[in-house]
Amino acid sequence: MTSVTPVAPAARRAGIRRAPLLLAAGVCLLAGLDAALVLLGLPAPVTSDRLPQVHGVLLVLGFAGTLVALERAVALGGRWPYLAPAALGAGGLLLLTPVDLAVPRLLLAAGAAVLTALYVRFWRRQPGAALLAQAAGAVSALGAALLWLGGLDVPRLLPWLVAFLVLTIAGERLELARVALLAPRAEPAFLACVGAVVTGVVTTLMWPATGTLLLGGALLALVAWLVVHDVARRLLHATGLPRFSAACLLAGYTWLGLAGALWLLGGPVAEGSRYDAVVHAVFLGFVMSMIMAHAPVILPAVLRRPLPYHPGLAAAAWLLHGSLALRVVVGDLRDVRGAWQLGGALDIAAVLLFVLTAATASVTATRRTASAASASATPAASTPADPRNPR
């Protein structure tokens, strides 16, 4: 029988206080998916002129940025760290309103600045290569927000947005890779990859062609490091959640490698099918796959609610990667519009399926936990002892 550990009331209350921040991220995700339908030329529940324009920033800083900042705030503790997810979430939500774009841009920049400050506090606690990579990701988010505030268009910001999430995730994977006792040269090689990514991102502002080639090569090197040193390869032969997470991680590395190769071989892109391929290989193929892999661990830590593994999570993940292959490999790289639209629509369906499955599994597990805790806390009815049958 599986033992049930009830959630302490204080932890439950903390999870409830964090729920609005997670809700803000969820609204940004849904709005971003709605904008994706508009960009695909498909019917969408909500249509507006602004949504397609802010689609990328909304999903990267409004959705993923809020999730990253919330997880970091929970890990650091205290109250002021929550200013980071609050500002990023509020900035994302304001992108959906008619308010002047300068206001949400300022909030997103403020949120990224506070997120960067969080890593300063973490560094004082325990410096390390993994933390340095994540801090470099936060600085990249701040750079993207400031450049957007200054009027730079989103395609020029793409390397900065990519570096934010790629370096954040890579730093987290390094922390887990240490469990496998890394070779002495592994961390210096990792830091060299991180430095190359940062150099490539900065260089794209002044010399786009050179910077893009450098960034593409750096991403390929980082992918190679992750594939060799990540524990995912060892867990692929496991079952249940470990196998699901490992498969999502390795599939994500494949997509990130494709994006790096497209940049390395094709140079900078700002529009068209190759731009679409790079963007979605990174943010759907890599980032969303990483979110799926980590959700059963991260979300319970943030909301203090269980999220057990369910086969529906794997179904959503494979639908995501299959439909993304249709969209990118057939639709973008072979210029087949029907495949591009169908793949894009199925991408959205995969993300929604994952969210619905995760929410259902969490609610069901929470109710079972509460019922089991209530049953164990109720004293059994006592039966008077029979004096003829002493115990």
Side-chain angles (χ1 to χ4, degrees), residues 232-380:
R233 290 188 302 121
R234 299 180 181 87
L235 297 176
L236 194 58
H237 301 291
T239 58
L241 178 60
R243 183 175 184 176
F244 165 73
S245 298
C248 286
L249 290 166
L250 293 174
Y253 297 154
T254 301
W255 286 111
L256 184 60
L258 174 62
L262 289 173
W263 262 336
L264 179 64
L265 299 176
V269 288
E271 59 183 0
S273 59
R274 197 157 59 85
Y275 177 78
D276 185 86
V278 170
V279 167
H280 294 93
V282 173
F283 294 118
L284 274 180
F286 176 69
V287 175
M288 187 55 68
S289 192
M290 297 297 116
I291 291 174
M292 289 179 171
H294 292 115
V297 177
I298 299 299
L299 290 184
V302 171
L303 290 182
R304 299 294 191 260
R305 294 291 188 274
L307 178 53
Y309 171 73
H310 186 279
L313 300 178
W318 293 125
L319 176 60
L320 174 72
H321 293 294
S323 59
L324 188 59
L326 177 64
R327 173 181 186 156
V328 171
V329 178
V330 181
D332 286 326
L333 301 185
R334 297 183 66 86
D335 200 21
V336 180
R337 180 175 175 80
W340 172 69
Q341 284 186 315
L342 177 59
L346 292 176
D347 289 339
I348 296 168
V351 175
L352 292 175
L353 176 61
F354 182 85
V355 171
L356 291 174
T357 303
T360 302
S362 180
V363 170
T364 302
T366 299
R367 289 176 177 173
R368 288 177 179 172
T369 301
S371 298
S374 176
S376 63
T378 303

Side-chain angles (χ1 to χ4, degrees), residues 102-345:
V103 177
R105 286 175 174 178
L106 278 171
L107 279 172
L108 293 173
V114 178
L115 177 60
T116 304
L118 298 188
Y119 285 108
V120 175
R121 292 291 298 273
F122 281 116
W123 185 264
R124 291 174 180 171
R125 286 184 177 183
Q126 189 175 4
L131 193 61
L132 188 62
Q134 294 175 56
V139 172
S140 299
L142 178 58
L146 291 174
L147 290 170
W148 198 42
L149 180 62
L152 216 64
D153 58 2
V154 173
R156 292 289 305 278
L157 302 177
L158 180 61
W160 295 80
L161 297 172
V162 167
F164 164 43
L165 294 177
V166 167
L167 295 180
T168 299
I169 293 168
E172 293 176 347
R173 297 314 303 172
L174 173 59
E175 290 179 344
L176 294 175
R178 285 174 175 160
V179 177
L181 299 176
L182 291 174
R185 296 183 179 180
E187 284 198 10
F190 175 84
L191 287 176
C193 293
V194 171
V197 169
V198 172
T199 303
V201 167
V202 174
T203 306
T204 57
L205 286 179
M206 299 171 287
W207 303 285
T210 302
T212 302
L213 294 178
L214 177 57
L215 179 57
L219 289 178
L220 286 174
L222 184 60
V223 167
W225 191 97
L226 290 168
V227 170
V228 170
H229 297 288
D230 201 309
V231 296
R233 290 188 302 121
R234 299 180 181 87
L235 297 176
L236 194 58
H237 301 291
T239 58
L241 178 60
R243 183 175 184 176
F244 165 73
S245 298
C248 286
L249 290 166
L250 293 174
Y253 297 154
T254 301
W255 286 111
L256 184 60
L258 174 62
L262 289 173
W263 262 336
L264 179 64
L265 299 176
V269 288
E271 59 183 0
S273 59
R274 197 157 59 85
Y275 177 78
D276 185 86
V278 170
V279 167
H280 294 93
V282 173
F283 294 118
L284 274 180
F286 176 69
V287 175
M288 187 55 68
S289 192
M290 297 297 116
I291 291 174
M292 289 179 171
H294 292 115
V297 177
I298 299 299
L299 290 184
V302 171
L303 290 182
R304 299 294 191 260
R305 294 291 188 274
L307 178 53
Y309 171 73
H310 186 279
L313 300 178
W318 293 125
L319 176 60
L320 174 72
H321 293 294
S323 59
L324 188 59
L326 177 64
R327 173 181 186 156
V328 171
V329 178
V330 181
D332 286 326
L333 301 185
R334 297 183 66 86
D335 200 21
V336 180
R337 180 175 175 80
W340 172 69
Q341 284 186 315
L342 177 59

